[in-house]
Amino acid sequence: MSITILGVETSCDETAAAVLVDGVELRSNIVASQVEVHKKFGGVVPEVASRKHLENVNPVIMEALDKAGITLRDITAVAVTYGPGLVGALLVGVAAAKALAYALDIPLIGVNHLEGHIAANFLARPDLEFPLLCLVVSGGHSDLVYMPHRGVYQPLGRTRDDAAGEAFDKVARAMGLGYPGGPLIDKLARQGDPEAIKFPRAFLEEGSLDFSFSGLKSAVLNYLNRARMLNEEINMADLAASFQRAVVEVLVDKTIVAAERCEVKTIMMAGGVAANGGLRSLLEQRAADVGCRVVYPPLNLCTDNAAMIACAGYYKFLRGDFAPLTLNAIPGLPL
Ligand code: KG4
């Protein structure tokens, strides 16, 4: 008998639902993005996000079922993100999933959002061989995670302040580029010189695999303020390229150190920033030098979606790792 998982994701500003059969057959993957709503504020407004999730969650779930050509009765289990994320946003998905699990008398599976991002890799490549290393870089996270086996996560390093995506978004806002900033900086950087402006790289103390991007962000803001005060012309493409190179170099350096330390042969990338062209090419190049290959999910599965939650849920289902109906949203949920 096949296993049909309904995945639900509402941790930030995307209301998403997906239907996944047997861990690989993605029947539907619906994402209702709130980007347009939050754009005018230059970032996600938590209260607005919760309200939008409330409006969207049921229609998005129904659309996912329709598109998959199934009804509620065909679902084997429902998997939902219960953290980390915005508490009001998470609560909407968790409440919807609990209601379905209770009404249909099917298992409820709680999924960590980071576990979901990592699982996006297994959708297209269920046979990836362990041990694996994953660089998770998104709007809320910059994490290096070692996976000796499936379902086992050993965090090696994390951001101490701004996440990589957050730094992209804040710098883009200061440059007047708009929101979300990552793809806009990525595009602009292609026309610029990454060596034009020397920005600091925060490698932190010897051997640390943690990240810190707030110093770099301040350096860019100071550069902009100074140039504007002195009425100097700013080459935005050079600025974007130099900032991006500073982020990417640190991410890549630490990922390679971790890969060698853990003796992995495959490095996975996950999260919205994994879409970054500069990051992909430098990581691939440096990984090849140490005999590693780099894999990443297709672009639409790098950013927040429910297919990745359904996929993580599928492997938890196989392990019988179910959540009670008292499952609560945990905004600071560790991996
Ligand atoms: O994974 P995601 O949808 O959200 C979180 O779980 O946080 O990632 C969104 C983040 C945003 O900060 C966005 O600016 C960044 O990913 N992003 C990028 C690119 N595409 C999206 N950053 C750099 N380069 C890109 N091409």
Side-chain angles (χ1 to χ4, degrees):
M1 216 187 73
S2 57
I3 297 165
T4 303
I5 308 281
L6 170 70
V8 179
E9 154 68 38
T10 63
S11 67
C12 190
D13 60 341
E14 262 102 22
T15 320
V19 172
L20 181 69
V21 178
D22 292 335
V24 284
E25 194 191 325
L26 187 58
R27 290 272 192 90
S28 62
N29 183 26
I30 309 297
V31 181
S33 172
Q34 303 177 9
V35 162
E36 288 307 317
V37 182
H38 298 285
K39 223 175 204 167
K40 55 179 170 288
F41 305 106
V44 178
V45 183
E47 178 61 27
V48 176
S50 316
R51 286 170 192 273
K52 277 282 154 198
H53 284 310
L54 261 181
E55 282 171 27
N56 292 341
V57 73
N58 284 340
V60 164
I61 289 174
M62 293 323 287
E63 194 181 336
L65 295 175
D66 272 359
K67 197 131 190 229
I70 63 168
T71 68
L72 285 171
R73 297 260 158 236
D74 301 312
I75 307 170
T76 316
V78 52
V80 63
T81 310
Y82 72 110
L86 302 169
V87 68
L90 288 164
L91 275 170
V92 177
V94 169
K98 288 202 293 194
L100 284 174
Y102 177 68
L104 300 168
D105 195 20
I106 55 173
L108 174 71
I109 299 165
V111 174
N112 182 304
H113 184 72
L114 285 179
E115 189 177 12
H117 271 305
I118 295 170
N121 283 284
F122 301 125
L123 274 168
R125 296 185 183 83
D127 303 327
L128 278 178
E129 274 182 36
F130 292 88
L132 293 163
L133 176 73
C134 191
L135 172 67
V136 190
V137 270
S138 67
H141 307 274
S142 315
D143 287 69
L144 270 169
V145 182
Y146 174 55
M147 287 185 77
H149 310 285
R150 192 179 295 287
V152 181
Y153 304 94
Q154 292 178 9
L156 303 174
R158 60 196 301 259
T159 184
R160 292 194 187 165
D161 38 60
D162 289 353
E166 196 177 350
F168 270 98
D169 293 337
K170 286 178 177 168
V171 164
R173 183 161 59 187
M175 290 170 72
L177 294 180
Y179 171 85
L184 300 167
I185 290 188
D186 192 4
K187 197 165 159 215
L188 193 57
R190 277 175 215 152
Q191 299 144 34
D193 173 8
E195 308 292 338
I197 309 159
K198 297 272 168 272
F199 286 125
R201 273 79 165 144
F203 286 101
L204 306 173
E205 57 285 354
E206 178 86 29
S208 170
L209 294 175
D210 280 349
F211 300 103
S212 166
F213 294 112
S214 70
L216 169 61
K217 176 195 66 189
S218 302
V220 178
L221 299 192
N222 289 342
Y223 178 90
L224 277 168
N225 288 341
R226 188 177 170 279
R228 281 172 184 152
M229 227 164 59
L230 300 175
N231 255 333
E232 283 175 2
E233 203 182 313
I234 304 169
N235 183 325
M236 288 297 189
D238 283 352
L239 180 59
S242 301
F243 160 74
Q244 179 168 295
R245 176 60 67 87
V247 174
V248 164
E249 263 183 25
V250 177
L251 288 173
V252 170
D253 249 67
K254 296 203 177 222
T255 305
I256 297 299
V257 169
E260 291 197 289
R261 216 182 266 178
C262 300
E263 299 182 351
V264 298
K265 288 278 158 244
T266 306
I267 300 168
M268 303 185 287
M269 287 210 279
V273 185
N276 187 269
L279 176 60
R280 285 185 177 199
S281 62
L282 191 65
L283 186 58
E284 276 171 7
Q285 200 181 309
R286 293 279 311 279
D289 292 344
V290 295
C292 279
R293 68 166 177 157
V294 181
V295 297
Y296 33 79
L299 227 59
N300 66 323
L301 297 178
C302 280
T303 46
D304 285 354
N305 64 85
M308 67 186 199
I309 304 303
C311 185
Y314 169 74
Y315 290 106
K316 289 190 122 183
F317 181 90
L318 295 183
R319 295 196 292 275
D321 187 352
F322 303 140
L325 284 175
T326 50
L327 181 74
N328 205 352
I330 305 180
L333 183 70
L335 192 61

